[in-house]
């Protein structure tokens, strides 16, 4: 396969779709063909959300099979584990360490531990980058910047064929003016 | 021409606009909704856009416009076609003048639907040509061609993307606005022999439609959208005795699966040729016949119904061909649910009689997975949002009816999620507007129970009003609960007759739900804010104490649409950690962390329902957010 496959995953409301749009927009800017697919519909706030992205020629459908992702960007450690079967051996996983406890866990008293997820991820055959996204957002002064923090961390790994500046250019056109400066700082903090 | 990154639904809208669209109407429904919204965004005043009250209204509106020479599009999801099927079946006989494309989005899985019905099957039932795109780019081009076919044969045509086309995004080569077709419809020309359906006209139309079928089948055999392809780039037909037939997104999965198998060293995969069927009705028989003659065994990779599989069996029988057709009917492809690149690869492997060593359960081979077992994952089922007024409405009814015999009939919308624990307040759910009539039916057989029907505001206008008329006139005993959040929330907040906005940007008089109910003859109607728990519970109690058809209207805007208030705060000194708030409400804004109930500030909207449930007044309103 000629394409670069990227899987972005997390919980509805975390800003996954915008991160995906920025990657796609930057690819378009560089004349790289791109396709993507997202889970939307019943999956709303609080549900698991995935965005599949394929950059480059040669693919027919956006939803690539397991073991073929070059890059996994996970906004939540449990969601990283859920989608880990898609990451190829030696692939790069950028994972936010802050766990989001679902309503079901609070109701049933079933334990859900982010640490257990992280321990498992550490054993993966992957280039694992753990990001304390919450801490980064606190230092930036906004919880809305998580997507840019993680995207910035992913850009450092050079799996995506873009520079931070190229993504920044596209970001400036996609977000409201009052968030441009915050997002630009977030892209560089990760 | 230029390239844009477009959602499938937006590409379809763009294609329709490029084809000289004059009118588009529809009713929201996942995964079809964004087609009409994207068209409205494109509108520079050259066409009319409407969210109609339901799919039947939308189709009839478009029929009138097409009779007048306009190019029209109607949008709906697959179950919407059931609502629109009455005008559709008759319109198939009358035909149209201006091109009419009826977009029906199917939902294999299903991901957000009640059924896995296949609109391709509806096409053969209604005898209307159908176009089934396999990619975003093809959808863009195909919808323009669909208008041409519609006008050539003076018939409405069906256009059927599935969720993975509707909601996919792709770099798409599209026309510049200067390349668009512009059409000025001639207007309605009176001709009762043409536009008035009568048995004699229907008989003649039936003859015409029957004669059209083989003619279209021949044309579709030569149509470039139906073809046999090899997985090899050069497109050469192979000499393998094995072949595949597919359609829609499954065709794309099949092509990716063949590449995957090639990359794994399965040389047989590159020798396979694939028959792509874009027009399953009328079926391109000549093309299929040539393909069948070249192969001994065919695997049909389809989603939903085995439409191509049955058609190929028919052709093989008709021409006495010695060929084996495999697919859903032989158990080689699952009869329900979605396909994927992996399921296609697995089926092809079995078809080629190759050993199964890929595409099964995820093995550590080639993946990043650690050798040990995966830990138990958090479950995140869809739930009502934090601050959703529906939670408060269901809770109020639950409290008011505690210890009494009652049945709660649900309906279609966000509030179907009232079935989730701990609310557990949906006993039945069938289809749009059905809850009202189901409640009446239960009441007829089980008169000791208090029958409630919950219906959202958009569903009320779409298909519940006739149910109220039925209940009132036939002296039913039931309580109608209208959950009025002043929007169509589930599909992404489309306007409806209760909102006072239209898709042409006008601000208009709202249709008043109370006035409608009163006009029908509902005598007891209480309107209350559900987030005022005490008032809401007593309203339900008052209403439930009188006989006949009575109504409670819970009115509070969708939590997603209003600016959240400051999140609630829990006073740790007062909180006795009884967890009543969590147990009773199941709100995502309430979590248990470090053994204590805490407010998830990012989600809490400050609705303060939990404050009214707390037995020790430990929850209060927070400061500014």
């Amino acid at each position: 396969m000629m394409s670069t496959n990227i899987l972005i995953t997390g919980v509805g409301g975390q800003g996954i779709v915008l991160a995906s749009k920025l990657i796609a927009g930057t690819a378009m800017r560089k004349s790289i063909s791109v396709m993507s697919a997202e889970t939307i519909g019943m999956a709303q706030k609080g549900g698991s959300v995935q965005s599949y992205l394929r950059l480059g020629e040669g693919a027919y459908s956006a939803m690539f099979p397991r073991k073929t992702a070059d890059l996994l960007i996970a906004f939540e450690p449990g969601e990283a584990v859920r989608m880990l079967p898609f990451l190829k051996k030696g692939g790069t996983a950028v994972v936010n360490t802050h766990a989001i406890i679902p309503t079901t866990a609070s109701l049933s008293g079933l334990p859900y531990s982010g640490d257990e997820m992280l321990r498992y991820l550490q054993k993966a055959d992957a280039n694992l980058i753990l990001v304390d996204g919450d801490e980064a957002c606190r230092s930036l002064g906004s919880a809305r910047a998580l997507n840019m923090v993680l995207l910035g961390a992913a850009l450092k790994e050079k799996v995506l064929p873009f520079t931070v500046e190229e993504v920044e250019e596209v970001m400036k056109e996609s977000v409201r003016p009052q968030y441009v400066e915050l997002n630009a700082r977030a892209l560089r903090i990760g | 021409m230029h390239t844009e990154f477009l959602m499938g639904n937006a590409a379809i809208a763009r294609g329709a606009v490029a084809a000289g669209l004059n009118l588009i109407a529809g009713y929201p429904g996942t995964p079809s909704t964004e087609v009409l919204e994207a068209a409205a965004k494109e509108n520079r005043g050259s066409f009319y856009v409407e969210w109609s009250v339901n799919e039947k209204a939308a189709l009839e509106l478009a029929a009138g416009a097409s009779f007048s020479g306009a190019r029209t599009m109607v949008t709906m999801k697959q179950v919407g076609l059931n609502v629109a099927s009455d005008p559709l079946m008759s319109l198939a006989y009358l035909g149209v003048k201006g091109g009419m494309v009826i977009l029906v989005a199917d939902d294999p899985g299903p991901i957000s639907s009640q059924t896995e019905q296949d609109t391709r099957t509806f096409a053969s039932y209604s005898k209307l040509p159908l176009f089934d795109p396999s990619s975003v780019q093809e959808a863009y081009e195909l919808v323009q061609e669909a208008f041409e076919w519609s006008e050539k044969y003076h018939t409405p045509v069906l256009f059927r993307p599935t969720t993975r086309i509707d909601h996919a995004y792709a770099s798409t080569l599209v026309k510049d606005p200067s390349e668009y077709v512009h059409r000025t419809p001639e207007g309605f020309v009176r001709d009762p022999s043409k536009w008035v359906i009568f048995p004699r006209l229907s008989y003649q139309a039936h003859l015409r439609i029957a004669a059209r079928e083989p003619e279209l089948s021949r044309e579709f055999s030569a149509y470039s959208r139906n073809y046999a392809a090899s997985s090899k780039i050069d497109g050469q037909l192979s000499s393998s005795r094995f072949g595949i037939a597919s359609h829609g997104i499954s065709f794309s999965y099949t092509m990716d699966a063949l590449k995957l198998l090639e990359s794994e060293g399965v040389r047989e995969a590159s020798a396979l040729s694939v028959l792509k069927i874009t027009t399953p009705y009328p079926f391109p028989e000549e093309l299929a016949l040539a393909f069948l003659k070249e192969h001994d065994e065919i695997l049909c990779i389809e989603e939903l119904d085995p439409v191509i599989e049955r058609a190929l069996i028919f052709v093989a029988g008709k021409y006495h061909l010695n060929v084996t057709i495999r697919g859903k009917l032989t158990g080689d492809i699952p009869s329900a649910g979605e396909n994927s690149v992996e399921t296609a690869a697995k089926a092809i492997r079995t078809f080629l009689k190759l050993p199964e060593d890929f595409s099964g359960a995820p093995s550590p081979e080639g993946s990043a997975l650690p050798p040990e077992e995966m830990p138990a994952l958090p479950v995140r089922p869809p739930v009502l949002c934090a601050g959703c007024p529906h939670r408060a409405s269901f809770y109020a009814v639950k409290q008011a009816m505690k210890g009494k015999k009652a049945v709660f009939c649900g309906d279609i919308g966000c509030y179907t999620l009232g079935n989730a624990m701990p609310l557990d307040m949906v006993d039945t759910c069938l289809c749009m507007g059905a809850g009202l009539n189901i409640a009446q039916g239960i009441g007829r057989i089980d008169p000791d129970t208090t029958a409630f029907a919950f219906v959202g505001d958009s569903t009320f206008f779409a298909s519940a009003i006739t149910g109220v008329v039925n209940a009132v006139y036939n002296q039913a005993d039931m309580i109608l609960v209208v959950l009025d959040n002043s929007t169509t929330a589930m599909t992404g907040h489309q306007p409806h007759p209760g909102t006072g906005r239209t898709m042409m940007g006008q601000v208009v008089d709202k249709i008043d739900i109370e006035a409608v109910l009163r006009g029908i003859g509902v005598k007891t109607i209480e309107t209350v804010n559900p987030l005022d728990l005490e008032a809401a519970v007593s309203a339900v109690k008052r209403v439930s104490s009188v006989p006949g058809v009575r109504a409670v209207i819970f009115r509070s805007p969708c939590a997603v649409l209003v600016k959240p208030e400051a999140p609630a705060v829990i006073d740790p000194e007062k909180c006795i950690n009884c967890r009543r708030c969590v147990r009773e409400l199941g709100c995502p804004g309430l979590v248990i962390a470090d053994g204590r109930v805490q407010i998830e500030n990012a989600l809490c909207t400050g609705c303060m329902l939990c404050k009214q449930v707390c037995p020790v007044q430990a929850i209060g309103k927070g400061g500014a957010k």
Side-chain angles (χ1 to χ4, degrees):
Chain A
M1 302 251 161
M2 307 275 290
S3 55
T4 302
N5 297 344
I6 304 142
L7 182 57
I8 310 179
T9 184
V11 176
Q14 285 190 300
I16 291 152
V17 174
L18 178 62
S20 171
K21 291 279 177 307
L22 278 190
I23 293 175
T26 313
M28 289 288 290
R29 184 66 58 88
K30 299 194 74 181
S31 301
I32 299 169
S33 79
V34 53
M35 51 174 85
S36 75
E38 274 138 28
T39 51
I40 53 177
M42 287 281 276
Q44 47 190 346
K45 282 188 171 178
S48 295
V49 171
Q50 285 89 36
S51 179
Y52 297 75
L53 276 150
R54 281 184 124 165
L55 310 187
E57 302 290 335
Y60 283 81
S61 65
M63 296 183 75
F64 45 79
R66 285 176 287 190
K67 306 184 210 179
T68 63
D70 300 283
L71 172 65
L72 173 69
I73 304 177
F75 286 51
E76 204 276 342
E79 297 311 306
V81 173
R82 197 190 307 278
M83 301 317 286
L84 194 61
F86 281 82
L87 190 64
K88 72 177 188 194
K89 203 184 187 85
T92 295
V94 175
V95 180
N96 181 26
T97 54
H98 177 71
I100 295 179
I101 301 157
T103 316
T104 46
S106 291
L107 274 176
S108 62
L110 282 173
Y112 165 54
S113 150
D115 291 340
E116 189 189 1
M117 300 295 145
L118 293 173
R119 274 196 299 279
Y120 179 76
L121 289 169
Q122 262 145 0
K123 290 172 198 149
D125 186 349
N127 169 30
L128 178 70
I129 312 295
L130 295 179
V131 179
D132 187 343
D134 264 41
E135 178 51 40
C137 286
R138 260 194 299 279
S139 76
L140 288 161
S142 171
R144 285 166 162 267
L146 178 64
N147 49 10
M148 296 302 130
V149 170
L150 294 174
L151 182 53
L155 285 167
K156 277 190 191 150
E157 299 308 308
K158 308 279 180 216
V159 185
L160 293 168
F162 326 128
T163 63
V164 175
E165 290 74 24
E166 285 167 340
V167 175
E168 196 179 333
E169 279 305 301
V170 177
M171 179 271 291
K172 281 179 183 164
E173 292 161 21
S174 333
V175 306
R176 289 200 216 138
Q178 62 263 42
Y179 296 119
V180 166
E181 197 267 342
L182 168 73
N183 283 338
R185 278 191 294 137
L187 273 173
R188 287 179 168 81
I189 204 173
Chain B
M1 300 288 267
H2 66 282
T3 306
E4 269 186 67
F5 188 62
L6 288 179
M7 186 195 225
N9 279 342
I12 292 166
R14 193 68 76 81
V17 174
L21 185 71
N22 299 115
L23 177 145
I24 180 168
Y27 186 78
T30 311
S32 70
T33 312
E34 299 84 359
V35 175
L36 191 137
E37 290 181 324
K41 227 180 253 178
E42 295 279 306
N43 196 5
R44 302 283 172 271
S46 65
F47 54 91
Y48 175 74
V49 191
E50 175 179 300
W51 278 130
S52 300
V53 73
N54 60 32
E55 294 85 352
K56 173 173 149 66
L59 182 59
E60 291 158 351
L61 178 86
S66 285
F67 293 168
S68 311
R71 280 201 167 174
T72 62
M73 177 173 253
V74 192
T75 75
M76 63 195 75
K77 68 183 295 178
Q78 87 285 43
V79 287
L81 185 59
N82 303 336
V83 177
S85 63
D86 194 5
L88 180 83
M89 296 304 288
S90 299
L91 188 62
Y93 283 71
L94 279 192
V96 293
K97 188 157 115 192
M100 181 194 246
V101 176
I102 302 166
L103 176 133
V104 185
D106 281 353
D107 185 24
I111 299 167
S112 43
S113 300
Q114 307 98 290
T115 71
E116 272 205 305
Q117 65 192 70
D118 192 328
T119 300
R120 296 179 303 159
T121 300
F122 219 119
S124 64
Y125 178 53
S126 59
K127 302 186 176 69
L128 293 175
L130 181 140
F131 300 86
D132 185 7
S134 66
S135 68
V136 174
Q137 182 71 50
E138 186 175 54
Y140 172 75
E141 296 163 9
L142 192 62
V143 72
Q144 299 175 58
E145 293 163 15
F147 277 105
E148 301 289 334
W149 285 107
S150 170
E151 275 174 15
K152 183 172 178 187
Y153 284 91
H154 306 290
T155 178
V157 299
L158 294 160
F159 188 81
R160 185 209 78 135
T162 57
T163 309
R164 300 303 181 189
I165 301 288
D166 293 300
H167 287 170
Y169 282 79
S171 326
T172 313
L173 188 63
V174 295
K175 288 178 179 165
D176 300 326
S178 59
E179 299 167 89
Y180 288 6
V181 172
H182 293 282
R183 301 175 75 264
T184 307
E186 144 186 48
F188 184 71
V189 179
R190 194 170 179 273
D191 185 356
S193 71
K194 207 166 175 181
W195 305 125
V196 182
I197 199 159
F198 263 112
R200 202 168 66 88
L201 180 149
S202 300
Y203 169 77
Q204 283 161 347
H206 195 176
L207 291 176
R208 206 168 51 240
I209 291 165
R212 178 179 80 196
E213 188 181 287
E215 188 183 335
L216 261 168
S217 168
R218 267 193 307 279
E219 282 212 54
F220 282 165
S221 281
Y223 182 29
S224 62
R225 300 283 170 192
N226 297 314
Y227 57 88
S230 153
S231 65
K232 285 231 161 137
I233 314 289
D234 59 20
Q236 288 290 305
L237 268 186
S238 71
S239 54
S240 170
R241 58 185 199 89
F242 294 102
I244 296 176
S246 193
H247 72 117
I249 192 70
S250 288
F251 170 77
S252 295
Y253 293 152
T254 299
M255 299 307 276
D256 276 343
L258 291 174
K259 288 179 150 223
L260 185 70
L261 292 170
E262 278 175 50
S263 75
E264 290 179 342
V266 179
R267 262 178 303 157
E268 296 90 330
S270 48
L272 284 174
S273 55
V274 183
L275 178 66
K276 179 180 186 289
I277 299 293
T278 306
T279 58
Y281 183 84
F283 193 73
E285 190 173 301
E286 287 171 14
L287 177 73
L289 178 63
F291 189 79
L292 288 178
K293 280 180 176 168
E294 283 166 15
H295 299 93
D296 300 334
E297 253 184 272
I298 311 282
L299 174 66
C300 300
I301 303 182
E302 295 182 79
E303 277 174 338
L304 305 177
D305 291 347
V307 170
I308 298 170
E309 189 178 350
R310 286 207 174 101
L312 290 180
I313 291 170
F314 172 84
V315 176
K318 184 172 169 183
Y319 294 93
H320 308 286
L321 301 180
N322 186 13
V323 53
T324 305
I325 317 284
R326 311 193 72 90
K328 285 174 180 267
L329 300 173
T330 51
D332 293 78
I333 299 291
S335 50
E338 277 193 277
N339 290 329
S340 68
V341 175
E342 285 178 58
T343 62
K346 186 183 160 122
I348 294 166
R349 236 179 208 286
T350 310
F351 177 58
L352 294 173
K353 301 169 177 67
L354 296 168
E356 167 76 31
D357 63 16
F358 174 78
S359 311
S363 68
E365 289 304 304
S367 92
L369 280 179
E372 68 189 66
E373 204 178 314
M374 196 179 271
L377 292 169
V379 187
R380 304 187 197 275
V383 290
L384 293 170
C385 300
C388 174
H390 298 334
R391 175 178 292 104
S393 302
F394 284 121
Y395 188 68
V397 175
K398 194 175 184 175
Q399 291 305 104
M401 297 311 290
K402 209 168 218 173
K404 297 182 185 132
K405 193 175 169 197
V407 62
F408 307 111
C409 300
D411 222 294
I412 307 290
C414 285
Y415 50 99
T416 314
L417 298 174
N419 76 322
M421 296 303 276
L423 289 172
D424 193 17
M425 280 292 285
V426 179
D427 294 330
T428 70
C429 181
L430 183 67
C431 65
M432 289 283 288
L436 253 154
N437 299 314
I438 289 176
Q440 295 165 47
I442 291 173
R444 296 290 173 203
I445 302 303
D446 199 352
D448 301 339
T449 198
T450 308
F452 283 83
F454 292 87
V455 66
D457 43 343
S458 187
T459 307
F460 175 81
F461 289 113
S463 53
I465 295 173
T466 49
V468 183
V469 174
N470 192 67
V472 169
Y473 187 73
N474 291 305
Q475 307 299 301
D477 189 75
M478 63 164 295
I479 300 171
L480 168 66
V481 181
V482 182
L483 303 168
D484 182 4
N485 59 2
S486 302
T487 189
T488 317
M490 189 77 174
T491 45
H493 305 105
Q494 290 72 29
H496 63 65
T499 63
R501 287 177 293 125
T502 74
M503 286 309 274
M504 295 303 282
Q506 301 150 296
V507 176
V508 298
D509 286 341
K510 298 175 185 179
I511 294 178
D512 180 344
I513 297 176
E514 282 97 326
V516 171
L517 293 177
R518 220 159 257 140
I520 294 171
V522 180
K523 295 201 172 57
T524 307
I525 305 169
E526 296 248 8
T527 302
V528 61
N529 177 0
L531 294 171
D532 182 344
L533 184 60
E534 205 183 305
V537 172
S538 44
V540 177
K541 281 186 176 162
R542 274 196 303 280
V543 158
S544 68
S545 66
V546 296
V549 179
R550 55 275 198 223
V552 179
I553 301 173
F554 285 122
R555 184 164 290 144
S556 181
C558 174
V560 177
L561 288 188
V562 289
K563 197 166 177 274
E565 305 219 359
V569 285
I570 298 176
D571 184 345
E573 302 287 310
K574 288 190 191 163
C575 175
I576 54 171
N577 208 20
C578 67
R579 305 186 181 183
R580 182 156 192 260
C581 51
V582 172
R583 248 186 3 255
E584 295 281 297
L585 303 178
C587 175
L590 291 163
V591 296
I592 294 169
D594 308 322
R596 308 281 305 184
V597 179
Q598 301 191 3
I599 303 289
E600 180 72 59
N601 284 341
L603 297 177
C604 178
T605 65
C607 81
M608 305 316 289
L609 180 64
C610 54
K611 175 178 187 267
Q612 301 166 69
V613 168
C614 178
V616 294
Q617 287 82 47
I619 306 178
K621 210 156 176 58
K625 190 162 186 174

